[in-house]
Amino acid sequence: MRRVAWVLAVLLVAFGVAGTPAPAQSPPPPPAVSFEKSSLVIDTAAGEQKFDVELALTPEQQQRGLMFRQKLGVHEGMLFDFVATQTLSFWMANTLIPLDMLFIDADGTIARIHANAEPLSTRTIDSGTPVRAVLEINGGAARMLGIKPGDKVRHAIFGNAK
């Protein structure tokens, strides 16, 4: 008898009292966050790689990052400036596309690259060493464009833009 009552309760919850499916509860859309746009250059052994980036400067912008984006151009990205050098951790919750994360020292030198971060993962990705900034680009783009640790990122936040 308990089993019948349990099954009935599950059916009532699933289909509502009238026998029609209950409406799905979808999360509300996230509020819009705007980002200033800028350009940067990465000096690689093969030459310059130019990117159009959005700047994540405020805590709100840094928390949102590239979450909920469905695509990113090959030469597009987001530059997170944390101003002070520190050890950083990121995750990919609500991020729908794979990303390469370039961890950048205060002088613009790429200290570490985490390639192809897994979309929607809550596993933390650590900078490994204190850095000032992170550049997120399309997953696999660093390898495809020949970007490696030790390469220089030129942008106004590093004081080395031309």
Side-chain angles (χ1 to χ4, degrees):
M1 188 66 170
R2 275 190 202 178
R3 185 175 179 157
V4 171
W6 180 81
V7 170
L8 181 59
V10 169
L11 290 173
L12 285 174
V13 169
F15 290 100
V17 180
T20 58
Q25 294 288 335
S26 60
V33 175
S34 61
F35 298 91
E36 180 182 334
K37 296 187 183 206
S38 185
S39 296
L40 65 75
V41 173
I42 301 176
D43 292 321
T44 73
E48 292 182 348
Q49 295 295 330
K50 297 178 182 178
F51 288 85
D52 293 320
V53 295
E54 294 175 88
L55 300 176
L57 306 174
T58 69
E60 179 185 42
Q61 291 169 329
Q62 292 167 350
Q63 182 178 4
R64 173 60 60 84
L66 291 170
M67 289 180 175
F68 309 106
R69 303 284 179 95
Q70 299 203 7
K71 63 182 178 172
L72 188 65
V74 174
H75 286 94
E76 293 178 339
M78 183 168 285
L79 181 61
F80 295 75
D81 181 13
F82 293 93
V83 183
T85 300
Q86 57 192 295
T87 301
L88 300 171
S89 293
F90 281 68
W91 66 352
M92 296 286 287
N94 300 316
T95 306
L96 308 175
I97 53 177
L99 297 172
D100 287 351
M101 295 180 183
L102 287 62
F103 295 95
I104 308 167
D105 291 334
D107 69 354
T109 303
I110 298 173
R112 177 175 180 270
I113 298 174
H114 180 92
N116 285 304
E118 179 184 353
L120 303 173
S121 172
T122 57
R123 185 176 62 86
T124 57
I125 300 165
D126 192 278
S127 62
T129 185
V131 294
R132 174 180 176 158
V134 176
L135 175 62
E136 292 182 342
I137 59 177
N138 255 326
R143 184 178 51 82
M144 181 182 79
L145 299 171
I147 300 169
K148 296 181 170 55
D151 289 347
K152 278 284 195 197
V153 178
R154 286 191 279 125
H155 188 272
I157 70 166
F158 305 115
N160 63 4
K162 291 183 182 178

